[in-house]
């Protein structure tokens, strides 16, 4: 007798349907190489026909691990969620569940995520916050299996998958200089993050190469939020000699900067060129479409999940994997 639609199909239902043992069905799902190909195909056909879904978590617990990974993100912005999507794709293919831990940059929440893995509720962490709880950073607690994304954790030998922030900012700055801009402002990201410092360094080094002055009045401190981009832009527009171009450390601040420029009666790019960083999906559909530095977010997530799964399997993974950025030219930049 088949289970009713409201009942979840069990492994016993599959075994009964085929007239085989539960152990045979289990082997087809977990150790298919132990079965004859025709037996394996019969079992998998019945699994599909009956709609059986293995309980991955329970199966992992019986083997001493959960088959679950935890991705810890600082915000629920589209930027981090696309990295999560890439990681989830690889995790699912490898029969892992990927859980989402939202820290909101709160040290206590970050510690709770690490504790969750240390207590056996997940097998490892994909860390996107760039920050490690002090108890773990200072060695009071042993580090769980860990791969970081975007930011290297200071003083820790932990694999990282990142992009070249400095090169991306340098390419964007060179683009503005090539257009003829000489007063190029920069709105930096969160002060404490290494990625912000690297993007700032790429901007400054490129100005120096072009013999352009690095003026403090053309530096705005942001925090990656739209509001901070708008506030910094208003400060630039209050100058006696405002900039003709602005490089923003992420797209969200660029959107805020463009909003503030419009409020002041300026047109982008006719009166002001704006470049972002990240290449969020909305950047292409913004008005005007935003010139921005593309970060391969989906691939960052894929590579991080692959590295963590390989690490859990006891295989060596690269300690530092750098994915390239590229400048995407759209309609928010023009000659001054």
């Amino acid at each position: 007798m088949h289970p009713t639609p409201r009942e979840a199909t069990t492994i016993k239902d599959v075994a009964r349907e085929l007239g085989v043992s539960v152990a045979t069905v289990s082997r087809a799902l977990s150790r298919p190489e132990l079965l004859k190909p025709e037996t394996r195909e019969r079992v998998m056909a019945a699994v599909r026909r009956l709609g059986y879904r293995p309980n991955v978590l329970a199966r992992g617990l019986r083997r001493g691990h959960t088959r679950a990974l935890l991705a810890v993100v600082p915000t629920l912005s589209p930027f981090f969620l696309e990295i999560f999507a890439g990681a989830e794709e690889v995790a699912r293919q490898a029969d892992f569940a990927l859980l989402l831990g939202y820290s909101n940059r709160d040290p206590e929440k970050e510690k709770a995520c690490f504790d969750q893995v240390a207590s056996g509720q997940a097998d490892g962490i994909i860390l996107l916050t760039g920050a490690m709880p002090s108890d773990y950073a200072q060695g009071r607690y042993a580090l769980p299996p860990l791969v970081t994304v975007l930011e290297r954790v200071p003083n820790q030998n932990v694999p990282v998958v990142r992009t070249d922030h400095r090169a991306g900012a340098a390419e964007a700055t060179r683009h503005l200089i090539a257009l003829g801009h000489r007063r190029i402002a920069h709105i930096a990201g969160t002060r404490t993050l290494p990625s912000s410092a690297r993007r700032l360094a790429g901007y400054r080094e490129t100005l120096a190469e072009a013999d352009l002055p690095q003026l403090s009045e053309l530096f705005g401190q942001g925090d990656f939020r739209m509001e901070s981009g708008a506030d910094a832009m208003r400060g630039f527009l209050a100058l006696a000699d405002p900039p003709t171009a602005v490089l923003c450390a992420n797209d969200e601040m660029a959107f805020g900067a463009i909003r503030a420029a419009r409020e002041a009666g300026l047109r982008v790019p006719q009166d002001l060129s704006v470049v972002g960083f990240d290449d969020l999906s909305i950047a292409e559909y913004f008005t005007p479409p935003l010139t921005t530095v593309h970060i391969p977010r989906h691939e960052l997530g894929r590579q991080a999940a692959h590295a963590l799964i390989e690490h859990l399997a006891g295989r060596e993974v690269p300690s530092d994997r750098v994915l390239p950025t590229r400048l995407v030219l759209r309609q928010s930049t023009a000659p001054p």
Side-chain angles (χ1 to χ4, degrees):
M1 184 174 118
H2 293 295
T4 65
R6 292 185 181 180
E7 296 173 340
T9 300
T10 69
I11 194 169
K12 292 181 180 179
D13 296 323
V14 178
R16 189 181 304 116
E17 171 80 6
L18 294 171
V20 300
S21 68
V22 169
T24 298
V25 178
S26 179
R27 286 192 196 98
L29 295 169
S30 60
R31 299 291 302 279
E33 70 278 6
L34 299 179
L35 298 179
K36 294 179 180 178
E38 55 268 26
T39 303
R40 184 170 65 243
E41 286 304 316
R42 279 187 65 222
V43 172
M44 295 311 297
V47 165
R48 291 189 292 270
R49 185 168 66 251
L50 297 177
Y52 172 60
R53 297 291 181 269
N55 187 330
V56 174
L57 180 59
R59 190 168 74 203
L61 288 172
R62 287 194 297 272
R63 296 174 182 171
H65 47 74
T66 65
R67 303 294 294 181
L69 309 176
L70 180 63
V72 183
V73 302
T75 73
L76 297 179
S77 71
F79 179 87
F80 290 108
L81 292 179
E82 191 164 343
I83 296 175
F84 178 88
E88 193 277 334
E89 180 179 290
V90 169
R92 178 166 30 87
Q93 291 169 353
D95 203 20
F96 277 81
L98 183 62
L99 312 177
L100 180 64
Y102 167 49
S103 77
N104 197 27
R105 302 197 189 278
D106 180 339
E108 288 302 314
K109 290 182 178 179
E110 288 164 359
K111 181 178 182 299
C113 290
F114 273 70
D115 290 345
Q116 184 176 344
V117 177
S119 63
Q121 298 176 54
D123 295 331
I125 293 178
I126 299 173
L127 184 66
L128 286 80
T129 64
M132 187 179 293
S134 60
D135 285 340
Y136 290 89
Q138 296 170 16
R140 287 193 286 272
Y141 298 150
L143 278 180
L146 177 68
V147 171
T148 65
V149 182
L150 293 175
E151 309 286 1
R152 179 182 290 283
V153 176
N155 306 316
Q156 300 290 339
N157 185 23
V158 174
V160 60
V161 182
R162 61 186 178 91
T163 59
D164 195 336
H165 305 281
R166 186 189 302 253
E171 185 181 11
T173 307
R174 280 195 296 271
H175 165 64
L176 293 171
I177 292 171
L179 287 174
H181 294 279
R182 295 298 177 264
R183 285 183 63 78
I184 303 170
H186 179 58
I187 303 176
T190 303
R191 192 189 307 271
T192 56
L193 292 181
S195 59
S196 300
R198 293 191 184 101
R199 294 175 190 186
L200 175 60
Y203 157 79
R204 284 178 167 166
E205 289 167 3
T206 308
L207 289 184
E209 289 170 3
D211 292 324
L212 294 177
Q214 300 176 34
L215 304 175
S216 59
E217 66 183 17
L218 296 183
F219 172 80
Q221 182 62 62
D223 60 10
F224 289 128
R225 295 180 303 129
M226 290 188 200
E227 296 88 341
S228 68
D231 289 342
M233 189 70 242
R234 294 185 188 103
F236 295 149
L237 295 178
L239 296 172
D241 188 9
T244 61
V246 181
L247 169 62
C248 301
N250 78 339
D251 288 349
E252 291 191 40
M253 292 194 298
F255 300 149
I258 291 173
R259 168 72 179 270
R262 284 179 180 154
E263 289 174 349
L266 297 183
R267 300 165 299 163
V268 175
Q270 293 90 337
D271 303 317
L272 176 74
S273 287
V274 179
V275 179
F277 213 110
D278 292 345
D279 193 21
L280 298 180
S281 299
I282 193 176
E284 183 179 359
Y285 300 97
F286 196 74
T287 303
L290 185 67
T291 293
T292 183
V293 177
H294 175 79
I295 287 185
R297 299 176 300 284
H298 197 81
E299 187 61 22
L300 281 168
R302 286 181 51 83
Q303 294 284 347
H306 177 74
L308 182 54
I309 291 168
E310 289 289 288
H311 177 60
L312 290 170
R315 292 185 280 269
E316 278 196 31
V317 298
S319 61
D320 187 11
R321 181 168 295 175
V322 183
L323 304 185
T325 61
R326 59 183 171 85
L327 184 64
V328 180
L329 297 179
R330 296 195 180 103
Q331 283 80 56
S332 66
T333 54

